[in-house]
């Protein structure tokens, strides 16, 4: 069974959904450890309460990004994971770090990439007036939020939404999408061809997009 290390910086709800999906038998990986760059990340306690080893690599204790990334890589490599999962990990990683884990470093981003890379995605989606928003699971490459897309989930933007309401609607989908995408990877069903992700033949292509029904559009 593939093993994974999950990196977090904060509340860890995606991490919790992954751990819970592993626990209920629907995600065939072993979560070897949860690492955080912030000692006060609430997700650390959640992981510990579910019996997962945790470790902090505090970025404020290092002189710069290279030194921090080297310490982080050392902490990760101690668990020899097959998959490194970013789940709300809020540090920009150096190219060397990204290349070290190339092809097995996966992130979830709260927008339908390539729209809205970076921060404040929900407010920016509202400001642009888009009618469909969502989240993306992708392989990490040196260009921020631009790696090959594994799967996406869409949600409608509804009248009266503010960033918090829209974020909550997207987050619900994140919690479904991330375990699914990691499962495909863990089962060896994904390959990257010409910078695009292909799923194996058994997989229905339609599953790459999760979308709830929009009541007005039935
Ligand atoms: C999520 O919206 C994720 O897409 C983004 O950061 C947020 C982390 O939330 N990368 P949580 O810590 O998983 O609750």
């Amino acid at each position: 069974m593939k093993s994974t290390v999950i990196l977090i910086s904060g509340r860890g709800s995606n991490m919790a959904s992954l751990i819970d999906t592993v626990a209920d038998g629907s995600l065939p990986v072993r979560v070897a450890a949860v690492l955080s760059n912030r000692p006060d990340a609430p997700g650390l306690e959640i992981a510990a309460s579910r019996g997962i080893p945790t470790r902090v690599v505090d970025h404020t204790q290092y002189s710069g990004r290279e030194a921090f990334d080297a310490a982080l890589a050392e902490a990760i490599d101690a668990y020899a994971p097959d998959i490194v999962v970013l789940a709300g990990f809020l540090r920009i990683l150096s190219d060397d770090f990204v290349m070290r884990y190339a092809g097995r470093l996966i992130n979830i981003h709260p927008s339908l990439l390539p729209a809205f890379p970076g921060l404040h995605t929900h407010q920016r989606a509202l400001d642009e007036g888009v009618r469909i928003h969502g989240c993306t699971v992708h392989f990490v490459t040196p260009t921020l939020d631009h790696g090959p897309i594994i799967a996406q989930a869409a949600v409608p933007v509804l009248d009266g939404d503010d960033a918090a309401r829209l974020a909550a609607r997207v987050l619900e989908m994140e919690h479904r999408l991330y375990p699914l995408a990691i499962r495909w990877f863990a089962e060896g069903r994904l390959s990257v061809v010409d910078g695009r992700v292909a799923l194996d033949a058994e997989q229905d292509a339609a599953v790459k997009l999760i979308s709830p029904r929009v009541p007005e559009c039935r």
Side-chain angles (χ1 to χ4, degrees), residues 15-39:
M15 171 213 75
S17 94
L18 290 168
I19 292 172
D20 291 347
T21 312
V22 169
D24 82 13
S26 322
L27 177 56
V29 303
R30 189 174 69 84
V31 181
V34 169
L35 308 188
S36 171
N37 65 306
R38 298 188 51 130

Side-chain angles (χ1 to χ4, degrees), residues 60-214:
T60 64
Q61 303 301 307
Y62 296 88
S63 54
R65 183 175 299 161
E66 308 293 326
F68 168 69
D69 281 4
L72 184 62
E74 199 182 316
I76 292 170
D77 291 350
Y79 298 97
D82 301 295
I83 316 169
V84 179
V85 172
L86 305 181
F89 185 70
L90 298 177
R91 303 294 301 170
I92 292 180
L93 296 162
S94 62
D95 290 4
D96 281 354
F97 182 95
V98 170
M99 294 320 290
R100 182 187 189 95
Y101 301 104
R104 57 192 175 109
L105 182 60
I106 297 179
N107 183 44
I108 189 160
H109 180 77
S111 78
L112 291 173
L113 291 172
F116 312 122
L119 298 174
H120 311 301
T121 56
H122 308 303
Q123 188 58 52
R124 286 160 62 207
L126 290 172
D127 292 346
E128 291 292 343
V130 300
R131 305 317 305 173
I132 295 174
H133 186 44
C135 53
T136 303
V137 177
H138 65 97
F139 286 110
V140 178
T141 56
T143 310
L144 185 70
D145 298 333
H146 269 84
I149 291 170
I150 299 171
Q152 295 186 301
V155 301
V157 179
L158 300 179
D159 290 343
D161 269 353
D162 58 16
R165 285 184 51 177
L166 185 54
R169 192 174 307 122
V170 171
L171 192 65
E172 218 181 297
M173 299 304 276
E174 292 186 36
H175 295 164
R176 289 172 54 190
L177 189 70
Y178 216 1
L180 184 65
I182 305 274
R183 176 156 68 81
W184 292 340
F185 183 73
E187 292 175 346
R189 291 170 158 195
L190 302 179
S191 53
V192 180
V193 182
D194 293 335
R196 286 190 297 277
V197 173
L199 270 174
D200 71 2
E202 285 166 38
Q203 189 67 49
D204 178 355
V207 177
K208 276 193 273 188
L209 172 68
I210 297 183
S211 177
R213 269 199 290 198
V214 183

